[in-house]
């Protein structure tokens, strides 16, 4: 891939430091990248849209693990998935005596359109069982358990963004750290997992960086982070 390849980049664990904060060095790198940049995340849409805004790049976003796609260039906003079905799963989970694990206000889910996230400190097996009963799945991003429709993925979201931009998904360099990035890795032309990635992302990547977190991002794109 050349330095001008369009990028599809995860946020948590990829643009962040080991404590979960955005590494400030990544912001000018994203702003100055000479090809389209797509932010692909499990977070709800306001987070990556705000990131694009404050970085100073066009809002090209795949959010909620593919459930939400936004492309400012073409004034596109698409939703895939069934939030009500996901809510039925988490309601049943709570009725069974478990908790979503968030505060009462629940900023994690407040703006979600297509899925529901559960804290990783909560029991996974009963959540997966209830989700399966409802025809849904649970994806572990390393930061939360996401209850979602099985036909929704970051990879499909990237295909939509690429189509809106008139690009082939195979033109993209995808960088990530989690099993929810595997589908992106599968459609991109080159896939790079940062060193802190989980086993699923490591197995799906074309290459793995020696450095972790944001330092791995810089290694993946061939830039000096200094």
């Amino acid at each position: 891939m050349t330095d001008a390849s369009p990028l599809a980049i995860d946020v948590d664990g990829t643009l962040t430091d080991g404590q979960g904060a955005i590494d400030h060095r990544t912001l000018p790198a994203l702003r100055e990248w000479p090809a389209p940049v797509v932010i692909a995340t499990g977070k709800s849409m306001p987070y990556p849209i705000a990131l694009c805004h404050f970085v100073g790049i066009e809002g090209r976003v795949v959010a909620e693990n593919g459930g939400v796609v936004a492309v400012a260039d073409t004034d596109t906003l698409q939703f895939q998935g069934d939030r009500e079905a996901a809510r039925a799963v988490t309601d049943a989970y709570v009725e069974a005596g478990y908790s979503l694990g968030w505060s009462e206000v629940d900023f994690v889910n407040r703006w979600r359109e297509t899925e529901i996230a559960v804290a990783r400190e909560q029991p996974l097996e009963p959540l997966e069982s209830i989700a399966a009963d409802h025809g849904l799945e649970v994806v572990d991003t390393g930061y939360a358990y996401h209850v979602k429709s099985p036909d929704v993925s970051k990879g499909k979201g990237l295909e939509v963004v690429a189509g809106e931009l008139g690009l082939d998904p195979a033109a993209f360099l995808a960088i990530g750290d989690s099993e929810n990035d595997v589908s992106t890795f599968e459609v991109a032309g080159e896939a790079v997992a940062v060193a802190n990635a989980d086993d699923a992302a490591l197995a799906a990547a074309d290459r793995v960086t020696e450095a972790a977190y944001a330092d791995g991002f810089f290694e993946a794109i061939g830039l000096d982070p200094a």
Side-chain angles (χ1 to χ4, degrees), residues 10 12-14 141 143 175-179 181 185 194 196-198 201:
D10 174 53
D12 292 300
T14 305
T141 64
Y143 297 90
I175 310 169
D177 77 310
S178 178
E179 70 172 271
D181 296 309
F185 287 1
V194 290
N196 52 288
D198 64 22

Side-chain angles (χ1 to χ4, degrees), residues 135-175:
L136 302 188
E137 67 178 5
V138 179
V139 173
D140 180 2
T141 64
Y143 297 90
Y145 299 137
H146 296 252
V147 180
K148 56 181 283 294
S149 301
D151 58 344
V152 170
S153 70
K154 282 188 181 182
K156 290 182 178 179
L158 178 59
E159 290 177 333
V160 173
V161 176
E164 290 293 322
L165 298 176
L167 297 172
D168 186 338
F172 280 80
L173 166 61
I175 310 169

Side-chain angles (χ1 to χ4, degrees), residues 80-213:
Q80 300 292 330
D82 188 343
R83 191 181 192 278
E84 292 307 310
R87 174 57 72 186
V89 170
T90 55
D91 284 349
Y93 185 70
V94 170
E95 289 171 5
Y98 305 104
S99 167
L100 301 191
W102 313 119
S103 65
E104 183 176 351
V105 175
D106 190 1
F107 289 118
V108 173
N109 289 306
R110 185 174 182 83
W111 299 285
R112 285 189 189 274
E113 304 275 359
T114 67
E115 61 170 31
I116 301 291
V118 177
R120 294 183 79 248
E121 294 77 17
Q122 306 308 309
L124 175 58
E125 287 190 9
L127 182 63
E128 289 181 320
S129 177
I130 295 170
D133 289 342
H134 287 73
L136 302 188
E137 67 178 5
V138 179
V139 173
D140 180 2
T141 64
Y143 297 90
Y145 299 137
H146 296 252
V147 180
K148 56 181 283 294
S149 301
D151 58 344
V152 170
S153 70
K154 282 188 181 182
K156 290 182 178 179
L158 178 59
E159 290 177 333
V160 173
V161 176
E164 290 293 322
L165 298 176
L167 297 172
D168 186 338
F172 280 80
L173 166 61
I175 310 169
D177 77 310
S178 178
E179 70 172 271
N180 69 334
D181 296 309
V182 170
S183 62
T184 314
F185 287 1
E186 291 172 344
V187 303
E190 184 176 4
V192 182
V194 290
N196 52 288
D198 64 22
D199 289 343
L202 293 172
D206 297 310
R207 58 187 173 98
V208 179
T209 63
E210 294 184 4
Y213 298 100

Side-chain angles (χ1 to χ4, degrees), residues 5-106:
S5 299
L7 303 178
I9 309 170
D10 174 53
V11 178
D12 292 300
T14 305
L15 295 177
T16 57
D17 60 21
Q19 278 64 56
I22 292 286
D23 189 314
H24 68 90
R25 301 171 301 169
T26 66
L27 305 184
L30 295 174
R31 181 170 57 251
E32 295 163 12
W33 192 255
V37 174
V38 178
I39 303 298
T41 179
K43 280 186 161 55
S44 59
M45 181 173 61
Y47 291 91
I49 288 292
L51 176 60
C52 291
H53 175 78
F54 288 111
V55 167
I57 60 177
E58 289 287 351
R60 304 178 186 113
V61 163
V62 177
E64 298 186 24
N65 299 298
V68 181
V69 173
V71 187
D73 310 68
T74 58
D75 200 26
T76 297
L77 180 60
Q78 295 185 12
F79 300 95
Q80 300 292 330
D82 188 343
R83 191 181 192 278
E84 292 307 310
R87 174 57 72 186
V89 170
T90 55
D91 284 349
Y93 185 70
V94 170
E95 289 171 5
Y98 305 104
S99 167
L100 301 191
W102 313 119
S103 65
E104 183 176 351
V105 175
D106 190 1

